[in-house]
Amino acid sequence: MESKSLSLPKLLERLLIVSAVFFAALPFLATHLPPAADLGQHVAQIRLLADVADGSRPELEVSWGAPGTGVYLGMLALSWVLPMGYVGWAALLLLVVAWAGTLAWVAVRRERDLASAVLAGIFIFGASVYWGLLQFIAGWPVLLVWFVVVEGWRRKPEGHSETRYLALIFATAVALYLSHTMWLPVGMLWLLLRLPGAQLTLRRFLLLSLVLSPVVSMSIYWYVDVHLYRLALPSQAIASEWRLLPWERLGLMELRHLVLGGLRGGVERVMVMVALGWLALGLGMAVHRRWTRGEVIVPSQRVDRQLLGLAAIPTAIALFAPDQFLMTILMPERFAGGALMLLLVALPAPVWAGSWAAAPRLVAWGIAAVFALATTASWGIFAEECDGIDASISQLPERPRVLGLDFADRSSVILGRPFMHAAALAQAQRGGQINFSFADFGSSLVRSRHPTLPKWNPVLEWQPDRVGDRDLLHFDYVLVNADEETHARFLAFSKGTAVVTGTRFRLIRLPNGQ
């Protein structure tokens, strides 16, 4: 009688699939305020959308159908079932889980080793997550779906199947367009690279062009629109900038910041070395088995040339793109982590025979688990550093004018400026006006009808020490992140009243406040 129990390899495979998603979600259990700098600004867009709808913010407009606005539809749906204070947390969680799950799905579909997919999930937690680049994160799972759809279409399905694939191509192209401005060009480049050998008849080419032309046309229209919007404000007309040359980005320290760059300490450097070692060991073992021992290599231990080709696009961008292009910052960092993830899945994984066959998968699982736990612990400490944010927001009236000052801009566990948009969290829950808003950018869903320079110092979100008496005249409250000495000094300077005290984040009501 045949046993219905799962074999160890099958059990490990299922464990790895579940683990890929679980490890991505685990850090979110530590806090409802993830260390994602721009996250509050994205949630604030949903509140501003409601304000435009009820007519309370006539100076704003909604850019329906603009690229990069798709993620806000999901956040709008979340705002109907969750408190606004949890919308950003849920949105980022779902995007990260979708990225990890889609990568595992592609790995299974392409017969790749799931151990590599689990290990690759570590590099989800890079600059895009820690800066809260939600639209860009949303594009990664869509790009993976696009890859599968294009490869299916290339097989030249006939009849109804080709119609279905063309419909999928259109839908996925729209999803790329709505995720972020840069993702549609990346998707189109991959499609162009895959056209040779696709048995492309004139009819197939015309049908493909007909399907894609509306999406490409919309992309061009909105690119021109956003460019003209930015030209209206000289402060937004920023030239391209290269901080490092391509070969300088390959050092261990720089590579760590490119592919991860979120946690302080040495854990990220170790993860980068593990990933590079995994790639080298897997390739070396595959070459040894194939060319030295003459063994037949199973599909999961071969190079997936198509996935490797896809990985080449973000890899090239990560190496050669400027650090800043127009108003898009962190260009190499946006692509580097995802590129390494694709390389890990595309290239052979290490394999042992006999009783050690499960060893690589267990090692990959263990390494990913350690990183997930380290990230969770760091996010828990970060949550403690956010002490006072929720209490301050709860004391605000509806539609206040709030100035955010991030004096204590460094976290003990998180790199970058994770606190800089705390005032946007107040706007997301209470509405009103803040000193720096994504509504001032032409690429946002909700933006100013007529972009103008603010009446206060426009650099206060980056340089709070430059705040002056005249800046305070335009606000009712100040949300201050500072140490005890700076809190006392600023309270005396502002001549305001402390509403929340004894915490890192404190709320001050100014003399002209409500």
Side-chain angles (χ1 to χ4, degrees), residues 288-353:
H288 174 71
R289 289 195 310 274
R290 176 67 179 89
W291 299 108
T292 304
R293 300 173 59 179
E295 295 181 7
V296 177
I297 306 299
V298 298
S300 62
Q301 300 308 313
R302 298 172 184 165
V303 174
D304 188 321
R305 296 181 180 180
Q306 288 74 42
L307 265 179
L308 186 62
L310 182 66
I313 298 176
T315 300
I317 297 173
L319 288 176
F320 298 104
D323 293 275
Q324 181 163 318
F325 178 70
L326 297 177
M327 289 300 293
T328 302
I329 63 172
L330 302 170
M331 280 284 286
E333 290 87 346
R334 289 171 186 258
F335 288 95
L340 182 54
M341 292 169 69
L342 290 173
L343 287 172
L344 283 166
V345 177
L347 295 175
V351 173
W352 274 266

